[in-house]
Amino acid sequence: MAQNSTSAVADRSAESEGLVVQKNLVKVEGLWKLYGENQSLATDAAGASITKQEALEKHRTVIALKDVSFSVDRAETFVVMGLSGSGKSTLVRCLIRLIEPTAGRILVENDDILQYDESQLVQFRRRKVAMVFQHFGLLPHRRVIENAGWGLEIQGISKEERYERTQTALDLVGLQGWEHAYPRELSGGMQQRVGLARALAQDPEIMLMDEPFSGLDPLIRRSMQGELVKLQRDLKKTIVFITHDLHEALRLGDRIAIMRDGQVVQIGTPEDIVLNPADEYVEEFTRDINREEVLTASSVMDKAEIVLLNSQTPKEALEILLSRSLDSGCVVNDKGECVGSVTVDEVARASKAGSTDLASAMNGSTKPVSKDTSFGQLIPLSLASDRPIPVVDDDGKLVGEVHREKLAAGLGSRNHINNVD
Amino acid sequence: MDYPLPTEKQGISFSQLQNSALFVFGLGAGVVAVIVFAAAAIWGSQMEFPIDAGRSVGARIDAVVDWTNINGDWLFSAIKIVVIKILITMEDALLWMPWPGLVVLVTLISLRLGGTFVAAFSFLGMMGMGLLGLWESAMETLALVFTAVTLSIGIALPVGVFAARNNRFDAVLRPILDGMQTMPSFVYLVPAIMFFSLGNVPAVMATIVYAVPPAIRLTNLGIRQVSPEIVEAARSFGTTPMQLLTKVQIPMAMPTIMAGINQTTMMALAMVVIASLVGAGGLGEDVNRALGRQEPGAAAIGGMSIVIMAIVIDRLTQGVVKKRQDALRGT
């Protein structure tokens, strides 16, 4: 009953939005997958509080997915991370119905794909979504170009168009020149490129990637991750990426969902996961993460305590700083763009010299940094600077400042750190 | 990800269970022993079964066969026409080519599929058959075997595919195939004569019964053995069941299916002599006649020709299997 009414609400909101492009492309609601005797646990009230162990012993039922809900935005890379047995592979297979969930809803553009009949499902798989597999799943008796064109071939697309589109995909993943090789003649990394090209040739909105790089050796894995990031920058696909490797998750994910025993433990941005782990389980994972790489200026910046306009005179600035008993302040121009910062000493000196231009006072000013600047780059800048570093957004607008003490705290204990959205 | 099904949590420990099971078994064995000895003491060792139904059950089966023979005549006639048509076409094709042509052709194919040794064996074997005056018999046998094998493939592919997709059908099929392989062939030769009268047609039909099981079994096995990862990947792109079968499963299962066809061919050759009992011609008939005339030499020559033929066909089909396997060799 409850489910019906929520779906009605969802439908109405979809209608009212009309042609507006939905932010959420994929929305998973209360997804369950059970194996075993008592399938009703998914819909029972009893199921909600049951543990994996209880379900196994009392009901002879394995809980693979327990009430999983999340949504994925358009063009987002959503990483699902968990150890083996956490249900992450089951989850991604449910999204394309290679495994049928026991209960729940999977909305893709507000369409519940679990309601699709056989032919709708085939169309969904052909047009909307494509998957990349850990074990590649290439056909050994077909050449690279025929493997990569598989999705197009079964749609009945003509050979010329198929080869053209496949070739574009192969070029994207750097396989030009290998079109007529057989999979067995390629290394693991290159075979996975074929798998990737096969998915890209389909030009899907959603890409599901089930541990695509887990079978590759570390060096190749790293370079493939880098290439995926680069590809994604241009293609802007909606990606659901499965991995057991937190480093990979942090590197690729816009947001990360951490799974354990079939449940989602935490969903958040990489910084969120590292700085505010939801429980000990997540904390354990994040322990050996190199924070310098994951954390950025935005996660430790404070609101700028004072904003000075560059049209003000050094004298006015001095008065403002002294009245607030501050050592320094950020300076913005009339468009709100940050141009630097000044210290009390600097404005006092400039004022004494009779200067009327505040900009000329900013002698020792540090250049503002982007909010995405990593700790690794921030640390030397901060050590060399005698004042907080201004932080700006992509448009150059001031969004905050980084204090040296906060930076040190971010590397160490996770207290005193901002919550990041 | 596959999860193992939960195992039953047992109330008693394994050793307890073992002890109690042992006890029950011992008690049962004791009771049976007492009954057996008591019966032997009372009725003696000449004791008979209460009824003897063999004769009447046999008569029932006779009646069923008779009924089928009369009422299924249209079907058997149709089958007969088709089989004869295939047989004649095959035989004409084989005898149309003058013997040097066929010898050279087979030798070249052997060279390609099996190497120099197989090619030399094929050449010498075929020349031997020809020089011993068995060429025409050999071609008739070959036509018979090819006809049986062609029809067997026609049956085995759909049945094997269906068995691979349907576990219940597979479970029913398995004992039937066991029966077809172990049932003495004389048993079905008699109804074969009744349905198709004497000649090559009942021989082909009996050969199919005996030879088709390995092709079905290996088609089933081959399709079941296709890597689930590949099947899953293919399905994820929106493959229909038919596309999955024709573009993924059958090509991937081909070496196994070919191995089944190889087995079927070998078994069909093994039936050649028995089939001559219902009037089939060819090398089988030669051997059979030599048996009747007590000419061990003629029988040996005919028999050796069958063996040579079997070896050549085996090496050629094995060569095809190996080529397919190499093409499918994975990562």
Side-chain angles (χ1 to χ4, degrees):
Chain A
M1 272 303 168
Q3 216 169 26
N4 282 345
S5 64
T6 54
S7 80
V9 171
D11 289 349
R12 218 170 304 138
S13 70
E15 269 167 40
S16 65
E17 282 180 26
L19 289 171
V20 176
V21 178
Q22 286 257 309
K23 202 182 168 221
N24 291 338
L25 185 60
V26 182
K27 200 162 181 198
V28 174
E29 291 173 354
L31 201 67
W32 287 76
K33 177 64 194 177
L34 303 175
Y35 292 94
E37 291 181 354
N38 194 344
Q39 300 277 317
S40 63
L41 277 181
T43 41
D44 275 358
S49 57
I50 205 162
T51 66
K52 203 164 183 167
Q53 197 63 30
E54 275 172 9
L56 191 57
E57 286 175 6
K58 288 196 196 143
H59 301 280
R60 296 168 46 119
T61 299
V62 174
I63 300 179
L65 291 177
K66 183 177 175 183
D67 199 15
V68 172
S69 299
F70 62 86
S71 60
V72 184
D73 294 342
R74 228 170 256 280
E76 182 183 30
T77 305
F78 186 83
V79 176
V80 179
M81 204 222 75
L83 299 180
S84 59
S86 62
K88 57 190 192 303
S89 291
T90 309
L91 174 63
V92 74
R93 277 166 179 71
C94 285
L95 296 183
I96 192 170
R97 280 180 64 187
L98 286 171
I99 292 176
E100 293 290 342
T102 311
R105 301 205 304 162
I106 299 172
L107 302 173
V108 175
E109 292 178 327
N110 283 318
D111 240 8
D112 188 353
I113 67 158
L114 299 181
Q115 305 300 326
Y116 282 170
D117 62 23
E118 199 58 43
S119 70
Q120 283 174 307
L121 182 61
V122 163
Q123 288 310 315
F124 171 70
R125 287 173 175 170
R126 286 180 179 182
R127 313 219 180 268
K128 279 266 157 65
V129 63
M131 190 157 169
V132 181
F133 293 84
Q134 181 181 2
H135 300 292
F136 319 140
L138 303 176
L139 290 162
H141 59 291
R142 287 167 159 249
R143 295 171 192 279
V144 164
I145 194 155
E146 292 161 342
N147 260 300
W150 171 256
L152 304 176
E153 181 182 330
I154 57 172
Q155 287 180 38
I157 289 172
S158 74
K159 195 166 177 173
E160 296 84 58
E161 190 191 339
R162 198 163 83 215
Y163 271 36
E164 200 183 304
R165 284 172 66 179
T166 311
Q167 187 65 53
T168 314
L170 287 173
D171 292 349
L172 270 179
V173 299
L175 273 181
Q176 52 273 69
W178 291 93
E179 294 84 358
H180 299 289
Y182 284 98
R184 62 172 174 276
E185 297 163 353
L186 305 180
S187 67
M190 292 178 74
Q191 290 192 34
Q192 192 56 293
R193 284 167 200 264
V194 181
L196 198 55
R198 179 173 60 181
L200 289 173
Q202 194 98 321
D203 195 22
E205 278 176 67
I206 306 161
M207 303 244 296
L208 306 177
M209 308 185 79
D210 181 27
E211 302 207 35
F213 307 145
S214 299
L216 310 176
D217 62 58
L219 274 177
I220 306 286
R221 192 185 312 157
R222 248 194 115 65
S223 80
M224 292 287 283
Q225 290 165 357
E227 282 181 50
L228 183 65
V229 170
K230 222 183 297 162
L231 269 178
Q232 172 64 352
R233 213 172 289 151
D234 299 333
L235 299 175
K236 296 200 166 44
K237 300 284 180 195
T238 304
I239 299 179
V240 177
F241 191 103
I242 308 295
T243 182
H244 63 254
D245 176 0
L246 187 60
H247 288 93
E248 189 167 71
L250 294 171
R251 186 148 185 231
L252 300 175
D254 293 323
R255 285 188 305 145
I256 299 169
I258 296 191
M259 287 191 72
R260 181 195 188 183
D261 289 347
Q263 278 177 290
V264 172
V265 185
Q266 185 175 9
I267 298 180
T269 61
E271 293 169 7
D272 215 0
I273 301 281
V274 173
L275 292 177
N276 306 299
D279 60 13
E280 284 167 20
Y281 180 76
V282 181
E283 196 176 337
E284 191 62 38
F285 271 123
T286 60
R287 192 150 293 168
D288 58 343
I289 290 301
N290 186 355
R291 290 162 169 248
E292 284 176 42
E293 283 176 28
V294 179
L295 299 181
T296 59
S298 61
S299 53
V300 285
M301 70 187 183
D302 288 312
K303 237 183 136 110
E305 283 177 85
I306 190 77
V307 180
L308 301 166
L309 292 169
N310 66 351
S311 56
Q312 290 168 323
T313 63
K315 192 162 184 278
E316 286 168 329
L318 180 64
E319 278 162 16
I320 293 169
L321 288 175
L322 288 177
S323 71
R324 302 273 192 98
S325 57
L326 291 169
D327 294 333
S328 68
C330 295
V331 183
V332 298
N333 63 16
D334 52 356
K335 289 184 212 122
E337 291 162 354
C338 180
V339 292
S341 59
V342 287
T343 58
V344 173
D345 290 348
E346 280 170 354
V347 282
R349 235 177 289 132
S351 160
K352 214 178 276 175
S355 164
T356 52
D357 182 14
L358 187 57
S360 70
M362 305 186 297
N363 298 320
S365 170
T366 325
K367 255 180 80 181
V369 297
S370 150
K371 63 182 166 49
D372 296 327
T373 311
S374 75
F375 266 35
Q377 293 162 286
L378 217 47
I379 290 165
L381 290 177
S382 175
L383 288 176
S385 169
D386 58 349
R387 65 200 88 181
I389 301 174
V391 180
V392 296
D393 62 14
D394 296 339
D395 300 328
K397 299 244 165 46
L398 183 70
V399 288
E401 57 188 17
V402 173
H403 294 264
R404 201 181 292 170
E405 314 82 67
K406 260 294 184 53
L407 202 55
L411 285 174
S413 99
R414 54 183 54 85
N415 300 325
H416 320 298
I417 305 276
N418 304 345
N419 286 351
V420 193
D421 303 327
Chain B
M1 189 165 299
D2 261 337
Y3 288 86
L5 281 178
T7 52
E8 193 174 358
K9 172 102 177 149
Q10 276 154 356
I12 45 174
S13 76
F14 182 65
S15 67
Q16 276 173 311
L17 188 78
Q18 206 178 21
N19 284 340
S20 67
L22 215 62
F23 175 73
V24 171
F25 179 77
L27 197 72
V31 171
V32 170
V34 168
I35 291 172
V36 167
F37 281 115
I42 296 165
W43 292 297
S45 57
Q46 298 299 312
M47 183 186 174
E48 293 202 349
F49 279 93
I51 55 164
D52 180 5
R55 202 166 287 272
S56 67
V57 170
R60 288 275 166 80
I61 296 175
D62 289 348
V64 170
V65 172
D66 283 340
W67 184 90
T68 315
N69 193 14
I70 295 162
N71 292 284
D73 189 45
W74 56 274
L75 178 66
F76 299 129
S77 305
I79 294 175
K80 201 168 165 179
I81 292 167
V82 173
V83 173
I84 287 176
K85 193 102 190 153
I86 299 174
L87 262 172
I88 290 173
T89 315
M90 290 257 182
E91 215 176 317
D92 283 354
L94 287 168
L95 287 174
W96 167 82
M97 202 184 287
W99 65 265
L102 197 61
V103 170
V104 169
L105 186 70
V106 171
T107 307
L108 285 178
I109 296 174
S110 309
L111 194 64
R112 183 155 170 71
L113 290 174
T116 25
F117 185 77
V118 176
F121 183 86
S122 303
F123 178 77
L124 293 176
M126 291 179 79
M127 286 305 288
M129 276 189 262
L131 293 173
L132 290 169
L134 294 173
W135 187 260
E136 248 175 75
S137 295
M139 289 308 111
E140 197 179 345
T141 293
L142 208 54
L144 208 68
V145 169
F146 280 174
T147 306
V149 170
T150 309
L151 291 170
S152 292
I153 295 171
I155 296 166
L157 271 184
V159 173
V161 165
F162 191 64
R165 297 189 153 208
N166 188 322
N167 283 329
R168 197 172 299 169
F169 178 68
D170 186 38
V172 174
L173 186 67
R174 218 165 268 260
I176 297 176
L177 295 180
D178 290 338
M180 286 162 75
Q181 278 184 294
T182 45
M183 179 74 77
S185 19
F186 294 116
V187 175
Y188 46 83
L189 279 181
V190 181
I193 300 170
M194 291 173 72
F195 296 157
F196 301 107
S197 69
L198 287 172
N200 280 338
V201 178
V204 167
M205 299 314 281
T207 305
I208 290 173
V209 172
Y210 181 66
V212 79
I216 295 176
R217 279 187 214 275
L218 286 164
T219 302
N220 180 0
L221 180 74
I223 286 183
R224 281 172 187 265
Q225 273 180 340
V226 175
S227 143
E229 278 132 20
I230 292 178
V231 171
E232 184 181 50
R235 281 181 58 212
S236 79
F237 282 89
T239 313
T240 60
M242 202 48 168
Q243 287 173 325
L244 190 68
L245 186 67
T246 55
K247 286 174 185 269
V248 180
Q249 290 175 315
I250 288 181
M252 295 279 298
M254 219 30 171
T256 314
I257 295 175
M258 289 295 297
I261 293 171
N262 170 282
Q263 285 299 300
T264 291
T265 314
M266 293 302 105
M267 291 180 72
L269 270 165
M271 271 292 277
V272 161
V273 176
I274 292 172
S276 73
L277 293 178
V278 293
L283 293 171
E285 195 186 3
D286 295 347
V287 173
N288 203 8
R289 197 184 302 120
L291 197 71
R293 294 182 187 163
Q294 299 194 9
E295 294 171 353
I301 292 169
M304 277 311 292
S305 297
I306 294 174
V307 172
I308 290 168
M309 209 183 256
I311 292 176
V312 172
I313 295 176
D314 177 67
R315 297 304 183 271
L316 296 190
T317 45
Q318 295 275 25
V320 178
V321 172
K322 216 182 122 27
K323 281 246 152 71
R324 284 302 303 178
Q325 258 165 354
D326 288 347
L328 284 174
R329 210 182 58 226
T331 49

